[in-house]
Structures are given as C-alpha cells and as structure tokens.
C-alpha cells in the first residue's frame, strides 16, 4: 500500500534524514506535502525532486524567491504558520512527519491529530508543553503517534504489554554528552564549539546543546510520560556512553527488554514510517562481538537540568512550558556566547521560581507561559551576565 507523507520541518536535520529514508524505501512512499522554516533554496531542491502537491514556507518573505526557482513545478504554495498548519492537515496525506525544532511543532501536532492522521513525531517540545492538554481534550491518541526519538522508538519497539499493569518501569538511556565526567570548573570553560561536537549522534545545534546539559533527557522523560502513560517514578534515566542500547522496558515479572542498534536517527524514522512492518534500511546493524556496554547513574550535581525537568513535570500545568521556553533562550544565549555553560540550568531554575503556575491550562495559557518564560529568561540572562562580567 502506498503511504503518502506530509513532512514538516523538511530542511532540518530530521527532515533531510526522513527524505533519505524515503529514498531508500522506494516508490511505495510518496511525499505529498512539504513545509520548511526559512531555507527556501533547499526547499526548492526538494520540490523539484519529490514533486509534492503542496509546499509551505513559514518565513514568508522568501516565498517569491522560492516560486521563481521552482517555476514550472505543479505545486500549490502556502506561507506562514497557517501554511504550515495546512501541510499538517493536507487531505491526501495519511502520515504526517512533524520534524521542526521547538514550540512551533505544537499547533501542527494538534492539526494533524484533529485531521485523523497518523503521526511520526520528532518534535518533543509539543508533548512536553502540551501533553497534558492533549490528554485532557482526548486528543492524545497513542495508537496514532509514532515517536521519532531514538529512546521512545526503542520503548515502543520493546513494549509488548497487553495491559499497562505489566510494566514496572522504563530506562531511558543517555549518552551523557561531550562533557560527561567534567567538574564545575572545567564546565565553566566549555565553548559552543566544544558542545556541538557530540560523540555519537548527528543532530541539530539545539538538541546537541540540550544533550550536553542533559536537558534533552529531561524533555524526553516528560515526552515518555505522555507517550506511554507512565508516572514519573516509573521513568529512570541511565547513562550509557556507547549509545547502542536506545532504551529498555522492565516488566513486573523481572524481564527487561532492550532495543539495540547503531546511533543513527534513520532507524527510528524508518520504524515510524514502515510500522507495523520492518524493511531493509541504509543503516548498518550493530555487531556485538568485542564490544562493551556500560550503564551508570546520572550525575545530578554537575548536570542539574535533568532534575529541573522532573520538577517541572511534577508541578504540571504551565510549568513544563516555562522549563522549555527558558531552556530555548538559555541555549540561544549560550550559542551566541553571552551565557556560560553552567549558567544554563541556573537561568532556567530562576525563571521557574518566578512563574505563577496555572495548574489546568488552556492552549492560550501555555502559549502565554512560553512567551513569558522566553522574555523572563532574556532578563534573567542579562542579570546573570552582568554579575559574571
Ligand atoms: Mg532522543
């Protein structure tokens, strides 16, 4: 059966890898809609190659340039956030891949869920921020959401339970990032360039920094809570430097099932696309001979972001949106060279402490909380910088 795919965030890291996977899968997988943020030149190449029915550019000021380059292609165009939402609802698509970074994935996720699509979800922020709302409004249809995050894909693959009571807990694995084992003093000197050299994974800059602070794991804990309907004390994080075991599910009978593979995002992307089948892939398989796999407890003293995420998840309401918004700004400031690495969790903690949590939020409340957190993070960031100068 032919699968028709709408791909949002097509020019980003997950987006381009999704297209590689589609290339490898052959003619049964067709791209019918594309949406990109601002990279119109790459989007133009994708339109020429995949011939989608529809393409949207969120940053609308380059739409005319895009149209000029692809002049002659039979494709409808959309622009702005509305244009992106139309891609998420594109009528002929049966699978929507949501692959943009950050909060901008939330509204497309709602649109795709409301349109009855199957979803391959690479945007963890939308569940972090909106998981509780989706659940309360009966939109969190777990049968239709396929995680494109290596850990959550692993959990999905290891999940053989008929009943929720069969699950004891899950272990989400974390590489620990490039700075694992460093002291506070050493961490003060690390640069964005150091942080962007992830030892195992090829990813975009935001998630690579999140991986270095362990905030990525914190966001994944909240993501897992909503995807698998778990309580926070059922979710454990384990440091696994080799990034071969992508996560584990422990059952009440004492069995633990793990998924192993090379650290390559094309594996979880392809699983989400071909589920329930498995197909030959471009990724080489893991050869266990002569390898050593290690597992350790996280270092909460030098990497406090993980605990902040647990705290935000426990508080619920708008607090996860504040955690996420403050973290986005902290990462931007670090990448711009105006915030030191150790100050990232300090900034987030201060913003969280200043927030008046709305326990049962509407969509507009989490959007407002996100804006509030971003502005407050900028303020707190400049205070922290003055103090350090
Ligand atoms: Mg992950």
């Amino acid at each position: 059966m032919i699968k028709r795919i709408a791909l949002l965030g097509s020019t980003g890291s997950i987006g381009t890898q999704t297209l590689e996977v589609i290339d490898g899968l052959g003619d049964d997988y067709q791209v019918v809609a594309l949406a990109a943020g601002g990279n119109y030149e790459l989007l133009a190449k994708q339109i020429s190659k995949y011939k989608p029915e529809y393409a949207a550019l969120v940053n609308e000021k380059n739409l005319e340039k895009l149209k000029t380059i692809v002049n002659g292609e039979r494709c409808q165009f959309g622009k702005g956030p509305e244009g992106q939402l139309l891609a998420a609802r594109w009528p002929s698509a049966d699978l929507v891949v949501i692959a943009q970074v950050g909060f901008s994935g939330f509204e497309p996720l709602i649109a795709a869920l409301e349109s009855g699509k199957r979803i391959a979800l690479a945007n963890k922020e939308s569940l972090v921020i909106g998981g509780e709302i989706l659940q309360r409004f009966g939109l969190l249809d777990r049968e239709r959401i396929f995680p494109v995050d290596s850990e959550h894909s692993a959990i999905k693959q290891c999940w053989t339970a008929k009943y929720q009571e069969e699950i004891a807990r899950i272990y989400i694995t974390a590489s620990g990032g490039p700075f694992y084992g460093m002291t506070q003093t050493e961490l003060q000197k690390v640069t964005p360039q150091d942080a962007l050299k992830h030892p195992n994974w090829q990813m975009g800059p935001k998630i690579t920094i999140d991986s270095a602070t362990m905030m990525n794991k914190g966001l994944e804990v909240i993501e897992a809570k909503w995807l698998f309907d778990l309580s926070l004390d059922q979710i454990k994080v384990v440091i696994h430097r080799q990034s071969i075991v992508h996560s584990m599910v422990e059952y009440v009978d004492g069995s633990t099932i793990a998924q192993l593979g090379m650290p390559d995002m094309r594996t979880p992307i392809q699983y989400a696309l071909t589920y329930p089948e498995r197909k030959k892939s471009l990724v080489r398989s893991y050869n266990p001979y002569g390898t050593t796999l290690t597992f350790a407890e996280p270092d909460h003293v030098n990497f406090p972001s993980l605990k902040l995420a647990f705290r935000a998840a426990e508080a619920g309401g708008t607090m996860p949106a504040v955690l996420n918004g403050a973290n986005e700004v902290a990462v931007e400031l670090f990448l711009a060279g105006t915030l030191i690495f150790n100050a990232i969790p300090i900034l987030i903690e201060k913003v969280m402490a200043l927030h008046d949590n709305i326990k049962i939020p509407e969509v507009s409340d989490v959007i407002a909380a996100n804006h509030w957190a971003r502005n407050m993070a900028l303020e707190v960031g400049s205070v922290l910088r003055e103090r350090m100068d």
Side-chain angles (χ1 to χ4, degrees):
M1 202 183 74
I2 290 176
K3 285 193 182 170
R4 294 181 183 82
I5 296 165
L7 172 56
L8 281 68
S10 69
T11 56
S13 168
I14 296 291
T16 52
Q17 292 183 77
T18 300
L19 292 171
E20 272 177 45
V21 168
I22 290 170
D23 291 344
L25 286 172
D27 295 340
D28 286 351
Y29 292 78
Q30 293 175 358
V31 179
V32 293
L34 289 170
N39 189 345
Y40 69 96
E41 283 164 316
L42 182 53
L43 180 59
K45 285 190 190 131
Q46 293 175 343
I47 292 168
S48 302
K49 179 168 177 188
Y50 296 97
K51 317 247 178 255
E53 297 162 8
Y54 176 75
L57 194 63
V58 177
N59 184 348
E60 44 196 272
K61 72 172 198 280
N62 290 322
L63 186 66
E64 288 313 311
K65 289 184 195 155
L66 174 71
K67 283 183 180 169
T68 311
I69 304 176
V70 295
N71 186 22
E73 296 289 348
R74 281 171 40 157
C75 176
Q76 293 180 55
F77 292 95
K79 62 181 181 179
E82 282 307 311
Q84 178 170 254
L85 287 181
L86 185 53
R89 294 195 197 98
W90 193 248
S92 69
D94 36 49
L95 177 68
V96 179
V97 182
I98 299 184
Q100 62 270 64
V101 178
F103 186 59
S104 62
F106 182 50
E107 286 174 290
L109 173 62
I110 293 179
L113 281 166
E114 283 176 340
S115 315
K117 311 287 189 194
R118 241 166 57 89
I119 294 152
L121 184 64
N123 178 271
K124 63 190 69 172
E125 290 89 347
S126 53
L127 282 180
V128 169
I129 292 171
E132 195 264 339
I133 290 181
L134 294 173
Q135 168 122 316
R136 184 154 31 93
F137 293 165
L139 280 168
L140 195 59
D141 181 348
R142 296 183 173 90
E143 299 297 306
R144 284 198 285 129
I145 304 179
F146 290 79
V148 179
D149 199 339
S150 59
E151 296 78 4
H152 306 76
S153 176
I155 294 162
K156 183 108 185 160
Q157 293 179 59
C158 299
W159 194 282
T160 63
K162 194 165 176 208
Y163 304 106
Q164 194 76 17
E165 297 73 47
E166 296 169 32
I167 305 293
R169 59 187 60 77
I170 62 168
Y171 287 94
I172 299 181
T173 52
S175 73
F179 307 140
Y180 177 79
M182 281 191 183
T183 63
Q184 286 286 330
T185 326
E186 288 168 324
L187 288 172
Q188 272 172 14
K189 298 184 198 99
V190 301
T191 65
Q193 286 67 37
D194 299 331
L196 290 173
K197 281 186 227 129
H198 193 286
N200 302 347
W201 293 94
Q202 288 293 324
M203 304 179 293
K206 161 71 168 51
I207 188 169
T208 305
I209 305 301
D210 283 348
S211 167
T213 61
M214 292 289 287
M215 181 56 90
N216 182 48
K217 224 36 64 176
L219 299 176
E220 288 179 354
V221 165
I222 305 177
E223 186 187 3
K225 172 185 158 60
W226 296 117
L227 276 173
F228 301 105
D229 198 15
L230 297 165
S231 65
L232 286 170
D233 56 13
Q234 285 181 296
I235 307 174
K236 306 287 173 202
V237 172
V238 59
I239 302 288
H240 167 54
R241 295 295 281 161
Q242 298 81 23
S243 298
I244 294 296
V245 174
H246 297 304
S247 279
M248 314 179 219
V249 176
E250 183 193 321
Y251 291 84
V252 289
D253 65 358
S255 281
T256 300
I257 302 181
Q259 186 255 344
L260 285 72
M262 299 309 287
D264 191 317
M265 283 310 293
R266 290 175 301 180
T267 301
I269 293 169
Q270 177 157 324
Y271 186 70
L273 262 47
T274 65
Y275 179 91
E277 289 173 59
R278 288 183 187 268
K279 292 188 187 289
K280 230 178 141 25
S281 129
L282 302 165
V283 181
R284 81 187 156 94
S285 56
Y286 165 60
N287 175 353
Y289 295 116
T291 61
T292 305
L293 303 179
T294 58
F295 302 93
E297 279 195 51
D299 171 0
H300 293 294
V301 176
N302 293 309
F303 300 90
S305 292
L306 180 57
K307 278 262 160 77
L308 290 177
F310 269 98
R311 221 195 281 167
E314 230 163 275
T318 46
M319 199 58 93
V322 169
L323 172 91
N324 183 69
N327 178 58
E328 282 185 7
V329 169
V331 171
E332 285 161 21
L333 294 175
F334 171 68
L335 285 173
T338 55
L339 193 72
I340 62 167
F341 186 79
N342 313 44
I344 295 175
I346 297 174
L347 186 153
I348 299 164
E349 188 171 22
K350 283 191 190 300
V351 175
M352 281 171 66
L354 291 166
H355 181 59
D356 261 330
N357 194 13
I358 300 174
K359 284 299 276 184
I360 303 175
E362 301 299 321
V363 175
S364 58
D365 294 323
V366 293
I367 292 174
N370 176 65
H371 286 304
W372 176 87
R374 290 189 60 94
N375 288 332
M376 191 52 76
L378 285 171
E379 264 180 52
V380 174
S382 62
V383 173
L384 285 176
R385 192 162 60 245
E386 271 167 34
R387 229 184 276 165
M388 278 157 192
D389 281 345

